[in-house]
Amino acid sequence: MGGISDAQCFSRRDFLKASAAAVLAASAAGVLTGCDGGGEQLAENEAVLGDFKIKVTSATTSQLTSGVGENAKNEQWIIPTVKVSYNGKGLNALKYTDVFSAKIDGNDLKLTEPTGFMSSADVPFLNSNTITLKFKTPNEEVFNNFSLKGKPMQMTVKLFGVSVTFFLRRDGNNITIKKS
């Protein structure tokens, strides 16, 4: 009983090839973050964060000038619409400002709406809700970088230590949305 046949022997070269293939397969599995775990391929404007599915459905811009002459004040907003779906049994209240944040060219935008806390009451029927976010730009230059020059707005959604960043970019009258 003794020896090992040639068919049972692995050369060092065969072992290295098999090891490299195993490492490649394992690393490729980490690239498949576009799937929701149930085998459904997610679109560029969707992401899954734990029990939450986040989908940025659209975005608009708004400007308001109040006052006249030297008292005139310009304010600008970028207004994305986000559908949040929740598969869990309960959600502790989280501040909207802790969940949603945005930047353009490194400049922080201020989330002005909604205010307060997001909770399971915000995702009542069919475990999903559409939320309209209103981000105020710090000045007209930052707004123009987005609306006229095509610089992306980086909107980060963070839930329970897991986050995803969506890039919203204006091209003419259209706003494209892609996740990082």
Side-chain angles (χ1 to χ4, degrees):
M1 302 244 142
I4 298 176
S5 72
D6 285 341
Q8 294 173 319
C9 275
F10 239 13
S11 71
R12 182 174 192 274
R13 184 178 190 160
D14 290 336
F15 175 77
L16 291 174
K17 281 183 187 177
S19 297
V23 167
L24 190 60
S27 66
V31 171
L32 300 177
T33 58
C35 296
D36 72 355
E40 176 188 350
Q41 183 68 24
L42 296 174
E44 282 293 318
N45 63 334
E46 298 176 305
V48 172
L49 300 175
D51 290 335
F52 296 88
K53 183 175 182 180
I54 309 298
K55 181 177 183 178
V56 184
T57 58
S58 65
T60 60
T61 59
S62 176
Q63 296 185 71
L64 173 67
T65 301
S66 58
V68 187
E70 63 185 54
N71 293 327
K73 181 177 177 186
N74 293 321
E75 296 179 304
Q76 304 83 22
W77 294 271
I78 300 169
I79 307 166
T81 303
V82 179
K83 182 177 180 182
V84 178
S85 302
Y86 179 57
N87 297 323
K89 300 197 184 217
L91 167 64
N92 295 334
L94 299 170
K95 286 175 129 180
Y96 280 103
T97 53
D98 290 342
V99 176
F100 300 100
S101 62
K103 292 182 179 208
I104 296 173
D105 275 346
N107 296 287
D108 291 324
L109 280 61
K110 181 180 180 184
L111 181 65
T112 58
E113 292 178 27
T115 58
F117 293 85
M118 183 172 83
S119 69
S120 26
D122 293 324
V123 231
F125 302 109
L126 302 175
N127 294 331
S128 69
N129 190 26
T130 300
I131 302 167
T132 301
L133 305 168
K134 199 168 181 180
F135 288 101
K136 184 177 180 184
T137 62
N139 56 52
E140 194 169 357
E141 179 184 359
V142 172
F143 180 77
N144 288 338
N145 283 343
F146 174 79
S147 64
L148 301 176
K149 297 179 182 176
K151 299 281 184 165
M153 178 176 105
Q154 299 172 326
M155 184 178 76
T156 301
V157 182
K158 184 177 181 182
L159 290 164
F160 305 107
V162 182
S163 65
V164 64
T165 300
F166 293 95
F167 292 86
L168 291 75
R169 184 184 306 268
R170 182 172 212 142
D171 180 18
N173 290 328
N174 299 318
I175 295 178
T176 58
I177 303 162
K178 295 188 178 196
K179 67 179 171 273
S180 61

